[in-house]
Amino acid sequence: MQISELVKQAANFYENGNYKSALKCAEKILKKEPQNADALVIKGNVYYQKHKIDDSLQIYLSALATDSEHKIALINTANTYFELKDYKQSYKYSKRILKMDSNDKTALTIFGNSALELEKYDEGKEAFLRILEHDFSDAWAYNSLSRI
């Protein structure tokens, strides 16, 4: 089976909650291609789901060392830093995503929440208002704006 097919299979296992098979498949890919960013992200996701947050962060950072613009790795890194309450790093990584895609809702949410935690209220407000431009019914954005 080719690497691209294995990546799809690992992603499918992960999406269906079969984390053991997803990890096994990702490890198989990484034996052949140790720097495969997609496989690293899947492995990081499995670790995250198993509440191995610090390990997942290191794996996401490894994926970014291989592909610095891997969007999912960037989003997961920003989110993981936020969960670890490292709002400065979360802010930094979510900002990188927004430079690539200024309307990415997940990145805007992470960025906005990180900005609020860093007391950068204007930036947080702007992020949530941008979400509402695209999705006027977003309850998270309204809730976050009410914190300002």
Side-chain angles (χ1 to χ4, degrees):
M1 191 177 289
Q2 291 189 349
I3 295 294
S4 61
E5 292 172 18
L6 282 172
V7 169
K8 286 178 187 173
Q9 186 177 41
N12 205 16
F13 282 136
Y14 178 79
E15 290 168 11
N16 289 312
N18 188 344
Y19 302 133
K20 186 176 180 179
S21 294
L23 183 60
K24 195 174 188 179
C25 203
E27 293 288 1
K28 189 174 182 179
I29 297 163
L30 293 168
K31 279 186 181 177
K32 294 179 182 179
E33 289 184 13
Q35 302 301 313
N36 186 296
D38 293 325
L40 286 166
V41 167
I42 293 165
K43 181 178 178 179
N45 290 349
V46 170
Y47 276 66
Y48 187 91
Q49 290 299 323
K50 291 183 174 196
H51 305 287
K52 296 179 178 182
I53 306 301
D54 291 325
D55 292 333
S56 69
L57 177 61
Q58 293 309 310
I59 296 166
Y60 296 141
L61 292 171
S62 294
L64 289 172
T66 300
D67 180 356
S68 64
E69 294 188 0
H70 194 288
K71 190 173 178 181
I72 297 170
L74 284 167
I75 287 171
N76 293 354
T77 300
N79 186 61
T80 303
Y81 273 125
F82 189 87
E83 180 155 330
L84 292 170
K85 297 185 183 340
D86 188 340
Y87 304 119
K88 212 175 208 180
Q89 289 297 321
S90 180
Y91 175 89
K92 174 183 150 186
Y93 280 92
S94 56
K95 194 171 191 172
R96 281 179 57 186
I97 302 159
L98 293 172
K99 286 182 181 177
M100 294 167 31
D101 180 357
S102 63
N103 293 317
D104 185 285
K105 185 177 177 180
T106 302
L108 283 166
T109 301
I110 298 168
F111 179 81
N113 284 319
S114 298
L116 293 183
E117 293 294 338
L118 295 170
E119 299 180 359
K120 297 181 180 200
Y121 300 115
D122 289 341
E123 290 182 61
K125 181 179 178 180
E126 181 184 331
F128 293 115
L129 289 174
R130 284 186 27 216
I131 291 171
L132 292 173
E133 286 176 13
H134 300 284
D135 182 2
F136 196 69
S137 65
D138 189 292
W140 270 112
Y142 281 113
N143 184 44
S144 296
L145 282 170
S146 71
R147 293 175 36 206
I148 301 173

